[in-house]
Amino acid sequence: MRCSPDLRQRVVDFVRSGGSKADAARRFKVGEASVYRWLKPGGLTYQRPGPRRAHKLDWEQLRRHVEDHPDRIQAERARHFHVSRHCIWNALRKLAVTHKKKDGLPRT
C-alpha cells in the first residue's frame, strides 16, 4: 500500500535532521528500503506503475486488420505487427474484439 506524501516528507525530514535511516523506519513503521528510496533525488514523487512509453501497436490498424482478415489467428497477427502474441491478445481484449465460435452450420 502506498504511503501518503505527508508521511514520506516527515521520514525524509527526520533523516535529514540527523536521525538514522533504520530509526526512521522503526519510528514511522515503514520499510528501510522505502526510506532509502525516498531519500534518492526524485524519490518523494509517486511514479505510477505500468508502461512508460507509447504503444508499439496501433489499435485502429489492428481493428481494420481483424475486419479485413477475420480468419487469422493471434500468432499470425503478432507476426504481421511485429509484436508478441500476448500483446495482440491484450489489445483484442481491450478493444472488445472476440472470436466468433459459431460457424453458422446447424447442429446435428
Side-chain angles (χ1 to χ4, degrees), residues 45-55:
T45 58
Y46 172 70
Q47 294 179 354
R48 186 174 163 196
R52 287 174 174 67
R53 62 182 171 89
H55 292 288

Side-chain angles (χ1 to χ4, degrees), residues 19-94:
S20 72
K21 295 172 186 89
D23 191 29
R26 280 191 299 272
R27 176 179 281 194
F28 294 101
K29 295 183 175 73
V30 295
E32 276 189 59
S34 297
V35 175
Y36 279 92
R37 188 172 47 249
W38 296 338
L39 288 169
K40 290 181 182 178
L44 287 177
T45 58
Y46 172 70
Q47 294 179 354
R48 186 174 163 196
R52 287 174 174 67
R53 62 182 171 89
H55 292 288
K56 183 177 179 181
L57 177 63
D58 182 12
W59 289 7
E60 274 309 308
Q61 191 176 7
L62 175 63
R63 185 185 293 277
R64 285 193 303 275
H65 189 266
V66 169
E67 291 170 359
D68 294 343
H69 307 285
D71 57 335
R72 297 265 174 102
I73 61 174
Q74 289 180 6
E76 292 170 337
R77 293 188 203 285
R79 282 193 298 273
H80 176 78
F81 287 103
H82 305 290
V83 294
S84 68
R85 192 199 60 79
H86 179 74
C87 178
I88 295 292
W89 173 82
N90 192 35
L92 290 174
R93 186 174 58 91
K94 288 183 178 181

